[in-house]
Amino acid sequence: MEYKGYYDLNGSYKLSEELILRLVSNGLTFRSNSGCISNYELLAILHFSHICDLEGKIEDFKTLELCEITGCSRRAAYHILENLIDKGFITASSSDWYGRRNLKLLGNDFHNYETEKKRYLNTNYTFFNYRHCDYKAFKALSLNAKKLLVYLLFQYNPKYGYRASLDTLVSVLGVQKKRLVLSYIKELSEMFDKSFFLIRGSKELRLKYSTVQLPSKNPFFTPREGIKSDQDTHFHFKMRNFLLRNNIIPKSLIHPDRTSRETIHSLYSLTIRFLKEKLPYTEIERSIFHLLLLNGSLDEITILHLNQYLSEKYLLKCG
């Protein structure tokens, strides 16, 4: 695939409108299971949106990784994955000897995003990143407060904000009373700030609580543009798995305290550089795999060799 922007590099980082409406709704009937998504399952879906490719595919996913992502037990990790399959959110291959499975996030295919113009939520928020300190506050929310936040983020426009009747949110979440929605908004207010959620009444309808309004230009409701070393992407996930399969340990010769994630992130930065030079992503990836196997290591020397190799390839291509 030719480079079309950072989406090809990062993978998805998107949740489709179709998938969001299924995630936030309550009591939907799925293929073989009735009921809404669970707390752990929602956290898993958000993580899958970070590491899947543009078609929603994730190769070589180890089920036990869900323990670190959600904080669940080893046994619960397997139940999470099986439940997501039963409810029709993902498909999964059978497990190999090492416990790896190929997954696909259903209803979240963006490989033709340039022509289809599908609405989606950009999930590049610190509180959706399980390695970030903000994740703790998000994880502590009740399930329906999490769902409401996902829905509000999807509807929110940084320029105009968002306004909705409480009746609309009652219907979207599938709950019975407005006071429940108000309790979820209170949770979100404690996570962010009370000024972010303006509850207004209606004189015409003689209602004390009628609508919720989210003011515009809220930086906390605007997704991040860049990718930091503590974030997972399709690129980072794929590189990490390649290194593990080939017994290559990422390390820094200059900064011994640098984590393996930061070393892999150096490959990410190098890839972006050559993508800006219009080198096809497939060529960059093939070159990275080739030199990693040739050197048998990932350190500053390997990255220097990659830089020289791709620079020569780019010059030959232009010549």
Side-chain angles (χ1 to χ4, degrees), residues 249-255 258-260 263 297-300:
I249 300 175
K251 59 183 178 180
S252 173
L253 301 176
I254 301 174
H255 306 285
R258 179 175 290 178
T259 66
S260 60
T263 305
S297 62
L298 173 56
D299 50 31
E300 284 84 1

Side-chain angles (χ1 to χ4, degrees), residues 23 25 35-39 41-42 45 84 87 89 143 147:
L23 286 172
S25 297
C36 62
I37 198 165
S38 74
N39 231 318
E41 291 161 12
L42 178 58
I45 290 290
L84 288 173
K87 294 175 181 179
F89 284 104
L143 174 59
K147 290 181 177 182

Side-chain angles (χ1 to χ4, degrees), residues 61-68 73-75 77-78 99:
F61 182 79
K62 285 190 175 182
T63 306
L64 292 182
E65 289 187 28
L66 290 174
C67 298
E68 182 181 2
S73 67
R74 292 169 66 91
R75 176 178 292 183
Y78 291 98

Side-chain angles (χ1 to χ4, degrees), residues 206-230:
R206 297 182 179 181
L207 294 173
K208 184 178 181 180
Y209 306 113
S210 178
T211 61
V212 59
Q213 182 177 346
L214 279 65
S216 61
K217 300 177 182 179
N218 183 346
F220 293 97
F221 274 48
T222 303
R224 297 201 295 184
E225 294 182 357
I227 297 292
K228 306 296 184 182
S229 61
D230 70 336

Side-chain angles (χ1 to χ4, degrees), residues 238-253:
K238 190 173 184 177
M239 287 297 160
R240 187 190 68 186
N241 281 347
F242 178 85
L243 295 171
L244 286 172
R245 283 197 304 271
N246 292 282
N247 297 313
I248 299 173
I249 300 175
K251 59 183 178 180
S252 173
L253 301 176

Side-chain angles (χ1 to χ4, degrees), residues 266-281:
S266 298
L267 283 178
Y268 177 83
S269 300
L270 179 140
T271 301
I272 287 178
R273 178 196 162 188
F274 285 98
L275 287 173
K276 288 180 178 178
E277 299 288 354
K278 309 302 181 184
L279 207 61
Y281 177 70

Side-chain angles (χ1 to χ4, degrees), residues 11 102 110 147 163 176 185 190 193 213 265 270 273:
N102 295 332
F110 287 94
K147 290 181 177 182
R163 181 176 180 176
Q176 297 298 316
I185 292 173
E190 292 172 353
D193 190 282
Q213 182 177 346
H265 195 67
L270 179 140
R273 178 196 162 188

